[in-house]
Amino acid sequence: MREVEGSTELARVCGGETLILWAAQGFATGARAWVAGDAVAVASPAVSKHDRLAVAGPVDDAAKLVAEVVREVGPSYRPFGEEYLIRGLAERVPGMEFSAAFGWMDSAAGPDVTTTAGWLDGDDGVEELLLGASPSSYAWPGQAGVRRWAGITGDNGELLSVAADAWSAPEVGFLAGVATNPVARGKGLSRQVCGFVTAELVKRHGRAALMVDGDNAAAIAVYERLGYTYREVAAAGLR
């Protein structure tokens, strides 16, 4: 196992894998990365609510690498990567248990969307909207890594739909905190605000990504229309 020094080397050894580059967060938040054989692992503290251990590469190489990395960083880091890989690691790494499957979506194209969405001046009203429309959101105002909010407002100035630029890495912008007021659903507002944020992220970072529940067909369809491609990913826990 060899520790990787810096984003340039990491991009080279992982072949530009979006999951890995996103997890590293440009090495600005205390993340560390390692390579062994053809496997790469990044331990990233407190990114999108969890200490994450992003992994890529062949299962056998990755299993050996993850076992060593866990000894280095401890069991709080949650292995995360392609679903087939995480399932393979759960069978090979002592103390690892498969915990959840979900979706990772990314895009390198800024969508062409007609929208009234824009960046908000602050986050007034965002928490109230999330509490009523998406209380399980990972992104919340004032949370570390949540940088700014975009929204669509109604005629009376009330927030109708929001989305956040949160936990973005230099190479990968990240979309989170998507919510629409229940009274305003069915009008395409989520598509508008997500289209705006996606275009802004691609413009700034070159790529945009997000996580989504695998059974949320409606949300996946919206993101696919915005140019995102779906991948099956998963997480595991360590005892």
Side-chain angles (χ1 to χ4, degrees), residues 18-32:
T18 309
L19 287 166
I20 295 294
L21 295 175
W22 171 74
Q25 294 285 291
F27 292 93
T29 59
R32 297 173 65 189

Side-chain angles (χ1 to χ4, degrees), residues 48-203:
S48 188
K49 280 187 67 175
H50 296 288
D51 292 342
R52 295 185 186 270
L53 181 57
V55 188
V59 175
D60 288 340
D61 286 354
K64 296 173 185 177
L65 177 59
V66 166
E68 290 190 61
V69 170
V70 169
R71 286 194 289 270
E72 178 82 13
V73 301
S76 70
Y77 286 83
R78 191 182 188 196
F80 163 62
E82 298 272 7
E83 184 176 349
Y84 80 88
L85 175 58
I86 297 302
R87 290 190 181 278
L89 293 179
E91 295 174 353
R92 290 168 172 78
V93 179
M96 182 181 293
E97 294 180 342
F98 185 91
S99 59
F102 47 100
W104 170 274
M105 303 185 76
D106 58 26
S107 175
D112 183 11
V113 177
T114 300
T115 178
T116 59
W119 295 117
L120 301 176
D121 293 326
D123 51 28
D124 290 348
V126 174
E127 184 170 350
E128 291 78 5
L129 177 56
L130 291 173
L131 286 170
S134 184
S136 62
S137 172
Y138 275 28
W140 288 84
Q143 189 175 10
V146 179
R147 298 178 179 177
R148 53 183 176 168
W149 293 86
I152 295 175
T153 57
D155 294 337
N156 297 321
E158 74 278 19
L159 273 178
L160 299 178
S161 189
V162 297
D165 168 0
W167 305 292
S168 289
E171 310 90 343
V172 187
F174 200 71
L175 172 68
V178 178
T180 297
N181 190 313
V183 303
R185 289 176 181 167
K187 301 178 181 179
L189 299 186
S190 288
R191 181 175 183 273
Q192 289 187 45
V193 74
C194 290
F196 169 79
V197 174
T198 298
E200 291 287 300
L201 293 176
V202 170
K203 188 187 307 180

